[in-house]
Amino acid sequence: MTCDARIYDMDALVREALETGFSQAGELSMKALIFMPEVREMCSADKCRQYNKNWRCPPGCGSVEEAAQRAAEYSTGVLVQTIGRLEDDFDYDTMSETGEKHKKNFAALVEKLKPRYADILPMGAGTCSICETCTYPDAPCRFPEKSVSSMEAYGLWVSKVCEMSSIPYNNGPLTITYTSCCLFK
Ligand code: SF4
C-alpha cells in the first residue's frame, strides 16, 4: 500500500534507516537544501575522475537549476550516514569498504521505501557504480530507476547540509563518514 508522505513518521524512518545498517540518521533540514554552482565547479575540477563520464554525475545529471526545481517538489527528508573507523590516515581499505557498505545500505533503504511512498528523491554519495562501465554518453542509462546522483552532483555542500540538520559531518579523528539523503513529498 502506498502511504501519504505528509503523514510520515520521522522517528520510524530514522529507526528503519538504523535497522538497515546506517551508523547515524536524522531529519534533514529542508532549509539546508541550497543548490550551489560552486559545488558543481568543484566537480568539474574532476578530482574523482567521474566528471563527464557517468549519467549520474555532472554534466550528464542535469543543471543545478534543474536540481533545485526538482527538490522544490519535496517537503521533508531523512539524512543517513555510515561511519568507518580507520586504523590510520592511510587506511584506504576501510575507506573503500565503508563507502561500499554505505552504497549497499542506501540502495536497500530506497528499495524498502519505494513501495510505501508515492515519490521519493534519493541523493547518494559518490558516483553511480551499478555498471562496470557506464553507457554515458553513447547510450541511455541501463538502470534509470535504480541509479542515483550524489548530493554533491545535485550541487549540495554536504557538510553544510549536515550542520544545518544538526547531524555531525565529521565524526572525530580517524573516522570517515559517508552521507546520503532521501526526500519525500
Ligand atoms: S546505472 Fe549504469 S548506465 Fe546508468 S548511470 Fe549507473 S553506471 Fe551509468
Side-chain angles (χ1 to χ4, degrees):
M1 187 179 73
T2 298
C3 111
D4 186 337
R6 284 170 293 185
I7 55 164
Y8 72 95
D9 178 343
M10 183 52 68
D11 289 343
L13 276 173
V14 167
R15 226 173 15 251
E16 188 162 0
L18 297 176
E19 283 164 10
T20 305
F22 291 102
S23 318
Q24 283 178 170
E27 184 166 6
L28 170 79
S29 166
M30 296 304 279
K31 286 191 186 140
L33 294 183
I34 303 162
F35 298 89
M36 303 169 70
E38 294 89 329
V39 177
R40 276 298 181 82
E41 280 161 29
M42 288 195 278
C43 284
S44 60
D46 199 22
K47 281 194 182 153
C48 63
R49 300 199 192 119
Q50 292 302 322
Y51 185 78
N52 205 21
K53 291 187 186 69
N54 188 297
W55 283 116
R56 290 305 193 176
C57 287
C61 61
S63 68
V64 174
E65 291 75 21
E66 285 164 346
Q69 244 172 28
R70 185 151 182 229
E73 295 169 19
Y74 294 80
S75 59
T76 190
V78 67
L79 201 70
V80 295
Q81 291 181 327
T82 306
I83 304 168
R85 311 272 163 205
L86 308 178
E87 283 178 19
D88 54 46
D89 289 334
F90 306 99
D91 186 1
Y92 298 116
D93 286 345
T94 303
M95 290 178 202
S96 163
E97 280 162 21
T98 309
E100 286 308 312
K101 182 180 169 195
H102 182 79
K103 270 192 176 179
K104 193 169 145 261
N105 285 340
F106 191 59
L109 180 67
V110 169
E111 285 310 305
K112 279 201 272 183
L113 295 175
K114 268 183 183 170
R116 280 182 281 142
Y117 291 87
D119 189 4
I120 60 175
L121 176 56
M123 300 184 196
T127 190
C128 174
S129 52
I130 294 176
C131 311
E132 207 168 307
T133 308
C134 187
T135 55
Y136 182 88
D138 303 317
C141 172
R142 292 188 189 98
F143 303 103
E145 298 300 320
K146 272 192 176 174
S147 59
V148 167
S149 288
S150 67
M151 292 174 71
E152 287 92 344
Y154 275 92
L156 294 172
W157 193 293
V158 180
S159 60
K160 270 264 165 251
V161 174
C162 292
E163 188 190 317
M164 290 175 76
S165 302
S166 304
I167 294 172
Y169 171 71
N170 184 333
N171 286 284
L174 291 180
T175 65
I176 183 154
T177 302
Y178 291 87
T179 304
S180 296
C181 67
C182 198
L183 307 188
F184 304 87
K185 283 195 171 165

